[in-house]
Amino acid sequence: QVQLVESGGGLVQPGGSLKLSCAASGTFFSMFTVDWYRQAPGKQRELVAYITSGGSTVYADAVKGRFTISRDNANKTVYLQMNSLKPEDTAVYYCHQKLAYDYWGQGTQVTVSS
C-alpha cells in the first residue's frame, strides 16, 4: 500500500517560486520512479517531470529550465522546485508512482496570478 501526500501549493505572482513536496509511505518508495503531473481547468492531466530510482530526471518542454525535481529517499519525499512561474502553470499538481498499481496523491493547487 502506497500513500502520496502533496503540499506546498498556493497563490504566487508571475515570476515567483514555489516548492512542492510529495511525502510517501510504502516500503519500496526508493526503488521506483516518481512523477509530477498537473491538470489545468478544462485540460487533460499532463506529465510535468519525473525522477527515476537512480536520480535521472526528465522534464516537459513547457517547464524545462524553470522546474527542478529531486528526491530524498531517506525521508521518502519528492520535491518540485518551481521558479519563474507563469500564469499557464496554474493547475492542480499531482504526485504519482506506479508500482504494481498506479498511486496518486490528492493534489495541491498552484495558482499563478497578479
Side-chain angles (χ1 to χ4, degrees), residues 6-59:
E6 302 96 334
S7 61
L11 173 64
V12 63
Q13 292 187 342
S17 297
L18 282 175
K19 187 173 185 177
L20 306 183
S21 298
C22 170
S25 66
T27 305
F28 304 109
F29 170 80
S30 65
M31 299 172 62
F32 292 87
T33 294
V34 180
D35 318 297
W36 281 100
Y37 281 77
R38 68 185 181 186
Q39 188 166 19
K43 294 189 176 182
Q44 289 190 329
R45 193 171 295 189
E46 63 177 0
L47 178 67
V48 175
Y50 68 80
I51 184 165
T52 68
S53 59
S56 296
T57 59
V58 171
Y59 298 92

Side-chain angles (χ1 to χ4, degrees), residues 6-10 20-21 36 91-95 105-111:
E6 302 96 334
S7 61
L20 306 183
S21 298
W36 281 100
V92 179
Y93 283 71
Y94 298 91
C95 186
Q106 83 288 352
T108 185
Q109 176 71 47
V110 172
T111 303

Side-chain angles (χ1 to χ4, degrees), residues 66-113:
R66 300 188 297 121
F67 290 11
T68 303
I69 188 171
S70 60
R71 68 191 297 165
D72 178 353
N73 288 330
N75 291 305
K76 296 184 180 179
T77 303
V78 171
Y79 303 98
L80 186 68
Q81 176 68 47
M82 306 187 296
N83 298 328
S84 303
L85 282 162
K86 304 176 182 180
E88 51 263 45
D89 294 318
T90 295
V92 179
Y93 283 71
Y94 298 91
C95 186
H96 167 262
Q97 190 171 42
K98 180 176 178 63
L99 284 72
Y101 303 98
D102 284 294
Y103 295 95
W104 294 91
Q106 83 288 352
T108 185
Q109 176 71 47
V110 172
T111 303
V112 185
S113 175

